[in-house]
Amino acid sequence: MTLASLLCLSVLTAPPQGDLRLPPPTPKTAAAAAPRPLSEIERFRRDLMEMQGSQPKVESKLQEMSTTYPAIEALILEVARSARANEMENLMVVAKRFGKVPAADGGKSHVPDELLFQLLARPLGDATRSTVATMALLKGDQAKVALQQCIRGRIAAVRRYATELLAPMLTPEDLDFALQLSSEQTLDLQLRGIDLLAAIPHERGPQRLVELLSKEPALAGAACAALIALGERAVPYLQRLCAEPRIDRAYEYCAFALAQIQQTSTATVLPASVASVLLPRLKDPEPLTRSLAALALADLAYRSEPTGTGSPDAVVFPDAQIVEALIDLVAPIQFVPNLDMLRHSAEERLVRATGRVGVGRESLPWREWWKEQKVGFLGVRARLAVDRSSAQNAVVVLRHEQRFVRVLAEGLADAAPQNGAVEIVLTAEQMFDLVQALEAGGFGDTEAMRVQSALPIVRSLQLQLPSGRTQVAMPATPHPRFDALVQLVQDRVDSELWQLYRDPKAEPDRAAFWRAERRWLDAHPDALERDRRLLERVVQHWPSLPQPLRARAIEQFLSRSDRKQLLREEDGERILAALEPVAELSEMDLRLLELAAGVRGDRIWPRCIVLAARAGDGRTAVRSVFAVMGPDAVLTALSDANPVVRRAAIEEVVVGRDQRAAPRIIELLADAEPEVRRAAALASGQMQIEAAAPRLIATIVAEDTPPAMRRDCLRALGRVGGDQAFSVLQRALAAPGQDDKEAALRGLGELRDPRSAQLLAELVVLSHGKDLGTLARYYLQRQGGVLAVPALRQQLLTVQDEAIRQELVLLLGNYQDPGAVPDLMDLLRVPRRAGEAEALLVMATGVDLAKSTDRIGDIEAWWRKNKASPQWQWLLDGLHAAEVATLLKAEQFAPGAGLAPVPELARLLAEAREPRFQVLAAAVLRSVTGQDFGVVTPQTPQAEREGIAARYRLLVENARAAQGR
C-alpha cells in the first residue's frame, strides 16, 4: 500500500470514541489596555469643534481654553499649518481672542504672520474670508500692507476678499497701488484695481475708470459698473467723454452709465445731444455696441416729445429698432458680453417702452409678442400733450389682469372694436375733460405715481394719440392716487353705459349706432326718459347679453330709489316676455324678475310670482319678489286667482308671521286647490292660529278629506291646540293607517297639554319594542321637561318590567330630573347602562366623576350628603368646586325671589365652558321659570344654546314690563 493510500484511509476511518479529548480552554482575553492619554494638540483640536453654536456657548469655551492651554499661541500656529477649511474656520474664533497675546520671544505674536503665509501659500476654501479678516484684525497698523500682499498673491479668492477689506481703508496715498493693479496683464488683478479705484477719494480714480471703458468687454464692463456705483461723483467725467467725438465703444458705455445714474438722480445727467451719435449704432453689427446704444436711447426716447409734435430739428427716435435691440438682450439668440450687467436694465426699459403689463404672468415670450405688436408700434413717452383739437383722436386704455377698457374719442368711432375690450366713444369735448381730470389727478406726474415695490406690474392706464402714447403702470397693491384715476375712467364708462348694450348682430356699425343715439340723447335731456330708453334696450337684448353686462344693468336699476317712477307697465310686459320662454331661470333672470315685480298695479307682479315659483330655488326666488312688493302685497296675493300665487303668498306669510293674514288662511283651508289647502293647514299650525281649530277638526273628521290633507291637519291641530284638540288626536291614534297614527302622534307631541304627555308616556310603556312605542318616545321628548317629567314619573310608579323601567329612568335623566338620581345610581351597577347613566348623573348633579376611581361609592356618598338639597344648590356647589366665577347666590332662590336668578342662569347656559354646567343650568331654569324652551345636551351647538338663553331673558324682560304697567 502506498503512502497516499494510507493517508486517504486514515481520513476515512472514524477516530476511536474512547480516546476523544476536548481542545484546551481558550485563555481569557487580557484586560483591555488603558486608553492612551490625549496629547495637548489633540485636545486642542477636539475643543476647536465646539467653536460653533450660540455665542454664550462659544464664549464659555474660550474662557475655559484660556486656563487650559498656557501656550495657546503655539497650538494655534501648529494647527494653522495643516488645518482644513472647517477646522480653519473654527480656529479663527480662537485666533481673534488669543492671537495678540505676546509670545515669549520679544513680545511679538507670530499668529498674523502665519495666517498671512497660509493665505499666500495654499487655498483655504470656505475659510478664506474669515482667515483674511482675522489676519487683518491681528495685523493692526500693518493690515493695509498685508492686504496688499494678499491682493498680489496667487489665489483668486484671497485677492477678492482682501480687496473687500482693503477698500474702506484706502486714502489718496494708495492711488498708485490701485493704478498699478489696473495696468497689470492679469484680468483678475485689473478687476481688483477697478474695485480699489472706485473706493479711493481722488479724481484720478473716475478718470482711470473712464479710460478703462476702451478696453476689452470684461474689463470695460467692470469699469462701467464701478462708475455707475459712484453715481453723481462720476457724472462730470462721463459727460466729458460724451461731449467729445466718438472714437470707440467707450462712448456707448458712458451713455449707458449716465442713463443708469439718471434713474436715481433728480437732475438730467444724460445729455440729449448723444442721441445723434447713438442712433447709427442701432444698426451696428456688433451686439454689445448695439445693446449699449439702445439702453441709452430708450431713456432719451422716453423723455422726448412724440413724433411730429416737436420742432423740425427734433430727433426722431425709431421706437421699433430700440425695442428690437432691447429684446436681443432680454431674449438673446447670440452671445452678448456684459449680459449680466445689461439684462435687468434692458427688461425694465422694454416693459416701460412697450407698455406691456403682467409680463411675469403671461406665457407668451417677448419675441412672439413682438411679432404681433411690431406693425405701427409707438413707444411710450413720459408725457403727452393733449389739446382740444388733438383730443378728438385720443384713446384712454385701462388694463388690469382680466379687465380691458378702451375709451375712444369720436374721431376714432369708425375703428374696429377690439376683442375682449369694454369700449365706449366720447365726444372730443368729453375726452378733453377726461384727460384734464386725469392729469389733475396725477397722471404723468412721476412723483405722484411713484411706487416702491418689487411686485410685478399687472395694471396700467394709458393715453394714446396718433403721434405717441404715455402710460402709468402699477403692481396689484393699492395705490390711492392711481386708484383714483381708475375710478375717473370707471365713472366715465358708467355715465355712457348705454353704449355697452349695442347688439353687434343687429347693429354692426358702431359709429352709426353711436351717432344716432348721441343725437337722440341730445334731443332728450330728461334723465328719466334716458334711463327708460336704456331699460328698453337692456330688456330687448337680454337673452344675448353676457353675464357681466346683465349684472351691471341690474345693479344700476335695482339701486335706484325711484324704480316705481322708472318702470311702466309695458316695461314689466317686456321683461315677462323675455323671461317666460326661458326653461330655467338664472340668478340674473330672477333679479330682473324682481325689477318687474316693482311695476305699479296688479297685472305684473302675480305673473312674476308664478314665474319665480318655477325656478330651481323657487322659495328664495318668490321671497325676493315679495320683498320688492312689501307685506301688503302678500296679503293681496292670498286672494289672487292663480293658485300658485296663493300658495306662494301663504308660505311668505308664514315666514313673516303676519297675523293679519290669519282670517284669510282659515278661509283657504277650504280652497278649491288641494295644494293651497295643504299650505293653509301647515300655516295654521306654524302660526298657531287658534281660530283655525274648528276648521281643522272639521276637515279631519270629514270622510272626503284626502289622506295627505288629513295628516297635515292633525299635525297643525297639535300646534293650534284648543279644547277638542286632545280628544281628536287621541281618537286619531286608532286609525288603521301607520301614516295617520304617526301624524296623530306628532300632533300630540306638539300639543302642550298634560293629557297629551300622559298618553304618550303610556304608549311608550304599552308599545315598548314596537315602532309605535319608538315614535311615542320621540314625540314625548318634543313635549319638553315641564310636561314630560310628571308623565314619566307616574309611569315609573307602576311599571314592573325592568327593561322598560330602565328606559324610563334614562328618559327622566335626559331632563336632569332630581328624582331620577337614585335610579340612575342603581343603573351604574348594570354594565350595559352604566356609561349612559354616569353621563346623565353628571348632568343632573354637576358632580365630576371623570377622575373618580370609585364612581359608585363617590356618587352614593355625595347623595347621602346632598339628597335633601334642591337642584340649584347642586349647581352652586359644582360651580364653587370647579372655581367657576358666577353671580348666583342662595338668596336668589328664596321663596318670593321670582325670576331673580334667570339672567345669570341664562349666561351659564350659553357661556359656561364645561357642558355639565350648561345642562344643569338649563334644568334649574326650567324649575325656576316653569317654562321649557328646548332640551340642552352636551352636544347642543353654541348658537342653539344662545337662542334658548335669549328666550329666558325675554321672559324676564316681559315680566318686568308687566310689573311696570
Side-chain angles (χ1 to χ4, degrees):
M1 185 177 292
T2 63
L3 178 61
S5 300
L6 290 172
L7 291 173
C8 292
L9 182 61
S10 65
V11 170
L12 295 173
T13 304
Q17 297 299 319
D19 297 333
L20 181 64
R21 294 182 179 181
L22 294 174
T26 304
K28 293 184 178 180
T29 306
R36 182 177 61 86
L38 293 175
S39 66
E40 187 178 41
I41 188 65
E42 289 173 334
R43 287 189 290 110
F44 182 70
R45 287 181 181 273
R46 184 192 61 188
D47 290 343
L48 285 179
M49 297 173 64
E50 300 185 32
M51 291 296 106
Q52 296 178 352
S54 63
Q55 185 62 31
K57 173 188 172 184
V58 173
E59 179 62 29
S60 175
K61 192 63 181 178
L62 287 171
Q63 293 178 9
E64 179 185 335
M65 293 173 73
S66 66
T67 58
T68 304
Y69 305 106
I72 195 169
E73 181 185 8
L75 297 173
I76 295 173
L77 293 173
E78 183 173 351
V79 172
R81 291 166 186 146
S82 59
R84 299 287 185 179
N86 289 342
E87 190 175 39
M88 196 70 167
E89 188 95 24
N90 295 342
L91 181 63
M92 292 305 101
V93 179
V94 180
K96 287 180 183 178
R97 173 66 63 90
F98 303 110
K100 289 185 177 182
V101 177
D105 53 343
K108 178 184 178 183
S109 175
H110 298 287
V111 173
D113 293 335
E114 182 62 35
L115 296 181
L116 176 59
F117 175 79
Q118 294 298 323
L119 289 168
L120 297 175
R122 65 188 179 100
L124 298 176
D126 293 340
T128 304
R129 180 189 291 272
S130 60
T131 305
V132 173
T134 304
M135 183 275 296
L137 176 66
L138 298 179
K139 278 289 186 179
D141 296 340
Q142 299 300 315
K144 186 184 292 187
V145 175
L147 291 172
Q148 289 177 352
Q149 287 181 264
C150 290
I151 294 173
R152 289 288 191 181
R154 65 182 183 85
I155 301 173
V158 175
R159 292 198 295 264
R160 183 169 64 254
Y161 295 137
T163 302
E164 291 181 9
L165 290 173
L166 180 60
M169 306 177 186
L170 294 177
T171 62
E173 288 74 19
D174 300 304
L175 179 63
D176 290 340
F177 177 73
L179 290 173
Q180 290 173 11
L181 287 177
S182 68
S183 302
E184 291 286 347
Q185 299 300 315
T186 306
L187 176 61
D188 191 57
L189 288 176
Q190 292 173 329
L191 295 178
R192 303 289 76 79
I194 288 174
D195 294 338
L196 298 181
L197 284 171
I200 295 176
H202 193 281
E203 63 178 9
R204 183 68 182 110
Q207 290 175 358
R208 177 57 179 163
L209 291 174
V210 172
E211 294 170 4
L212 292 173
L213 296 177
S214 300
K215 303 299 181 181
E216 54 90 18
L219 194 59
C224 183
L227 287 165
I228 293 171
L230 288 176
E232 298 283 350
R233 183 179 157 208
V235 168
Y237 308 98
L238 294 168
Q239 289 178 338
R240 189 178 305 157
L241 189 146
C242 287
E244 299 174 357
R246 181 188 182 277
I247 300 176
D248 51 26
R249 196 190 295 121
Y251 192 94
E252 284 76 29
Y253 274 116
C254 277
F256 168 68
L258 288 171
Q260 290 296 101
I261 296 172
Q262 177 76 66
Q263 292 183 330
T264 57
S265 175
T266 56
T268 302
V269 299
L270 179 62
S273 59
V274 304
S276 58
V277 181
L278 296 176
L279 283 172
R281 305 274 77 78
L282 286 175
K283 299 179 180 179
D284 197 299
E286 204 280 312
L288 179 57
T289 302
R290 184 171 65 251
S291 299
L292 290 168
L295 286 163
L297 287 171
D299 284 5
L300 293 171
Y302 179 70
R303 299 203 307 267
S304 68
E305 292 291 331
T307 304
T309 60
S311 64
D313 298 331
V315 177
V316 178
F317 289 92
D319 294 333
Q321 289 186 35
I322 294 174
V323 168
E324 287 179 348
L326 294 175
I327 290 177
D328 287 339
L329 278 172
V330 173
I333 56 177
Q334 60 178 326
F335 174 72
V336 181
N338 305 141
L339 184 61
D340 290 342
M341 179 179 70
L342 304 177
R343 187 169 187 168
H344 179 69
S345 300
E347 186 165 11
E348 287 182 340
R349 288 166 172 81
L350 188 58
V351 171
R352 185 183 65 188
T354 59
R356 188 181 180 191
V357 298
V359 176
R361 301 185 181 186
E362 295 182 12
S363 59
L364 197 63
W366 272 108
R367 292 190 181 277
E368 295 298 321
W369 178 87
W370 179 241
K371 288 178 183 178
E372 301 178 1
Q373 305 294 328
K374 183 175 181 179
V375 178
F377 176 77
L378 288 174
V380 174
R381 299 293 187 265
R383 298 188 65 84
L384 196 64
V386 179
D387 54 23
R388 295 184 183 277
S389 60
S390 61
Q392 64 178 350
N393 293 315
V395 181
V396 174
V397 181
L398 173 64
R399 292 180 183 269
H400 185 192
E401 296 181 347
Q402 303 301 321
R403 197 172 168 197
F404 182 18
V405 178
R406 296 180 78 231
V407 182
L408 299 88
E410 58 183 307
L412 301 173
D414 293 310
Q418 290 193 13
N419 292 332
V422 175
E423 294 188 351
I424 64 168
V425 181
L426 301 180
T427 65
E429 190 66 27
Q430 288 175 324
M431 177 58 78
F432 181 74
D433 292 341
L434 175 59
V435 173
Q436 291 289 101
L438 292 174
E439 290 179 350
F443 185 80
D445 185 342
T446 305
E447 289 301 319
M449 294 295 126
R450 187 179 299 277
V451 58
Q452 300 294 335
S453 175
L455 295 175
I457 301 299
V458 296
R459 53 182 183 155
S460 66
L461 182 61
Q462 186 179 109
L463 172 63
Q464 182 173 335
L465 292 175
S467 58
R469 57 192 177 122
T470 184
Q471 174 177 291
V472 175
M474 288 283 168
T477 51
H479 188 284
R481 299 292 296 274
F482 182 82
D483 294 341
L485 300 183
V486 172
Q487 190 59 47
L488 283 174
V489 176
Q490 188 60 56
D491 291 343
R492 176 50 68 184
V493 172
D494 291 341
S495 68
E496 301 288 326
L497 194 61
W498 56 270
Q499 298 187 39
L500 304 182
Y501 295 92
R502 175 181 66 89
D503 187 354
K505 295 181 179 180
E507 302 158 313
D509 190 341
R510 178 178 66 180
F513 162 77
W514 180 79
R515 294 186 182 101
E517 285 296 310
R518 190 80 259 169
R519 287 193 295 270
W520 187 94
L521 291 171
D522 292 340
H524 300 81
D526 182 66
L528 186 61
E529 196 172 357
R530 290 183 173 189
D531 290 337
R532 283 175 176 167
R533 185 175 179 87
L534 174 60
L535 177 60
E536 291 177 17
R537 176 169 291 279
V538 169
V539 176
Q540 178 185 357
H541 301 307
W542 184 263
S544 61
L545 289 179
Q547 191 75 358
L549 287 182
R550 287 185 172 192
R552 203 164 189 172
I554 290 298
E555 181 182 0
Q556 175 161 325
F557 291 130
L558 287 180
S559 62
R560 295 178 61 117
S561 59
D562 59 344
R563 289 199 306 271
K564 297 290 186 182
Q565 290 73 32
L566 173 66
L567 291 162
R568 299 162 297 182
E569 197 169 83
E570 53 265 35
D571 296 320
E573 293 286 356
R574 292 191 191 95
I575 293 174
L576 290 172
L579 295 180
E580 282 173 346
V582 179
E584 186 174 350
L585 299 180
S586 66
E587 182 182 354
M588 285 298 106
D589 292 334
L590 294 174
R591 299 295 303 279
L592 184 63
L593 199 61
E594 291 179 33
L595 192 66
V599 173
R600 294 179 177 179
D602 294 331
R603 285 188 53 201
I604 302 300
W605 66 261
R607 293 168 60 189
C608 293
I609 296 294
V610 175
L611 204 55
R614 82 179 196 197
D617 188 5
R619 176 66 255 155
T620 303
V622 170
R623 287 216 64 198
S624 299
V625 173
F626 273 126
V628 175
M629 297 158 49
D632 292 339
V634 179
L635 296 177
T636 304
L638 291 171
S639 302
D640 193 85
N642 192 317
V644 175
V645 177
R646 296 198 300 276
R647 187 186 63 190
I650 292 172
E651 293 173 352
E652 185 63 22
V653 164
V654 171
V655 173
R657 299 286 176 178
D658 192 343
Q659 292 295 331
R660 295 180 299 169
R664 179 57 186 160
I665 288 177
I666 295 174
E667 294 175 3
L668 291 174
L669 287 170
D671 194 271
E673 178 61 38
E675 290 300 320
V676 175
R677 293 200 302 272
R678 292 191 63 188
L682 294 175
S684 299
Q686 290 172 324
M687 296 178 63
Q688 296 180 332
I689 303 174
E690 296 181 8
R695 182 66 61 87
L696 290 171
I697 293 173
T699 305
I700 291 170
V701 301
E703 295 183 359
D704 58 345
T705 301
M709 180 65 182
R710 180 181 295 107
R711 289 192 288 269
D712 290 337
C713 290
L714 285 170
R715 290 191 289 267
L717 182 61
R719 289 194 170 193
V720 170
D723 296 337
Q724 301 180 19
F726 173 73
S727 59
V728 172
L729 292 172
Q730 184 181 31
R731 288 197 303 271
L733 284 176
Q738 183 67 20
D739 292 339
D740 290 339
K741 287 183 179 180
E742 183 177 347
L745 279 173
R746 182 170 180 178
L748 288 169
E750 298 287 353
L751 183 63
R752 296 299 178 261
D753 189 319
R755 295 174 298 171
S756 176
Q758 185 63 43
L759 178 57
L760 289 172
E762 290 176 1
L763 289 174
V764 170
V765 174
L766 296 175
S767 301
H768 181 262
K770 301 178 181 179
D771 292 341
L772 187 63
T774 303
L775 289 174
R777 173 180 175 173
Y778 171 76
Y779 290 116
L780 175 63
Q781 291 175 315
R782 296 175 66 91
Q783 289 274 316
V786 173
L787 295 174
V789 168
L792 289 169
R793 284 177 179 172
Q794 185 175 348
Q795 293 299 318
L796 197 60
L797 294 174
T798 59
V799 170
Q800 300 298 322
D801 187 288
E802 187 60 28
I804 299 176
R805 181 179 179 81
Q806 290 177 3
E807 185 171 330
L808 293 178
V809 170
L810 293 176
L811 278 174
L812 279 170
N814 284 324
Y815 294 106
Q816 298 80 49
D817 179 33
V821 172
D823 294 315
L824 288 172
M825 290 192 299
D826 292 339
L827 290 183
L828 289 177
R829 294 181 170 86
V830 181
R832 189 169 62 90
R833 299 291 192 181
E836 189 176 357
E838 177 186 349
L840 294 176
L841 278 170
V842 171
M843 301 304 142
T845 64
V847 178
D848 187 7
L849 297 176
K851 300 179 181 179
S852 175
T853 56
D854 182 10
R855 297 174 301 169
I856 297 176
D858 290 345
I859 194 64
E860 288 181 346
W862 177 90
W863 178 247
R864 287 192 295 271
K865 181 180 178 182
N866 294 279
K867 61 182 179 180
S869 300
Q871 195 171 29
W872 57 262
Q873 186 63 55
W874 301 349
L875 174 61
L876 288 178
D877 293 344
L879 293 172
H880 178 73
E883 298 182 352
V884 177
T886 180
L887 298 177
L888 287 178
K889 298 178 181 179
E891 52 266 27
Q892 292 176 324
F893 297 92
L899 304 178
V902 170
E904 178 63 7
L905 288 169
R907 186 191 68 80
L908 291 171
L909 166 63
E911 301 177 9
R913 291 188 177 182
E914 294 191 43
R916 57 184 170 129
F917 295 135
Q918 300 168 3
V919 177
L920 185 53
V924 177
L925 275 168
R926 289 196 298 270
S927 63
V928 170
T929 62
Q931 299 289 334
D932 188 349
F933 295 130
V935 176
V936 178
T937 69
Q939 291 76 37
T940 303
Q942 172 76 20
E944 187 174 338
R945 285 189 283 108
E946 289 178 351
I948 296 173
R951 296 187 66 181
Y952 281 113
R953 294 189 189 101
L954 182 61
L955 186 69
V956 175
E957 293 177 3
N958 292 338
R960 290 173 179 171
Q963 290 178 357
R965 291 194 297 271

